[in-house]
Each structure stands twice: as C-alpha cells, then as structure tokens.
Amino acid sequence: MPRSQRAPLAESAPTGAARTSFLNVKGAAEYLGLSSQTLYVWRHRRQGPPSFRMGPRGRVMYRREALDAWIHEQECADSRSNPALDPLNAQPQRRVNSGA
C-alpha cells in the first residue's frame, strides 16, 4: 500500500498536540508580540512568563497555558484594565486634623 494511503500512526497525534501546547522562545515571543531578546532578558532577571528547560539540549520552552495565565495576570495587575485598582474610582478620603 502506498504511504499516502496508509492510516496515520497513533503516535503522530500527541506530537501535534505537544507542538501546539509548548512553544520555544521564538514561538513564545511571536505569540506575545515581543522580541526573543526580551524573553531572554526577562528569563535572566527571573521576570516575565514562567519557562523551563526541556530535552537533552535543555531548550527553553513555554507552556501556552502558562503564557495565557501570565497575560491574564498582567491585565489584572494593570489599573487601566482593572477598575478596582484605578485610583480615579476610589472614594475621596477626608483629611483628619490632628487638632493643632
């Protein structure tokens, strides 16, 4: 039977899923809209999204779910996108006279 007519191997499905759930530095940078150098600097400073080393060569990898969670954390920590942190939404505070 020609190779093109054969059924795909069962092992090929997890590989495709793994490729979409893990990103290397270049893929993560493209996903976040940043440069690869920015991710390298953030990793060195222990900032930015969580990453880990994978495989015998120790390639730096990122989980797509971790990138999405990190983006959400950044949105929640920014006062422009989180009304609870916006100082303009806070109730005015009255000064207390010390009676001097």
Side-chain angles (χ1 to χ4, degrees):
M1 180 187 280
R3 181 168 260 216
S4 61
Q5 293 178 353
R6 291 183 191 168
L9 297 175
E11 295 94 29
S12 64
T15 304
R19 285 187 181 160
T20 59
S21 62
F22 297 102
L23 298 169
N24 61 12
V25 174
K26 182 179 177 185
E30 289 174 4
Y31 187 75
L32 295 172
L34 302 168
S35 71
S36 298
Q37 184 63 29
T38 298
L39 285 180
Y40 281 119
V41 170
W42 283 355
R43 181 174 163 78
H44 177 73
R45 294 179 180 170
R46 300 186 186 276
Q47 298 174 335
S51 61
F52 62 97
R53 293 196 174 271
M54 177 187 274
R57 295 175 132 183
R59 294 184 180 188
V60 176
M61 301 294 285
Y62 295 85
R63 288 185 182 272
R64 188 180 303 265
E65 297 85 17
L67 294 177
D68 291 336
W70 182 79
I71 291 169
H72 181 71
E73 288 173 14
Q74 300 306 300
E75 290 172 344
C76 292
D78 185 12
S79 64
R80 291 171 288 187
S81 60
N82 186 347
L85 298 176
D86 188 354
L88 299 177
N89 290 340
Q91 292 291 335
Q93 296 180 358
R94 298 187 66 153
R95 292 186 182 204
V96 178
N97 283 337
S98 60

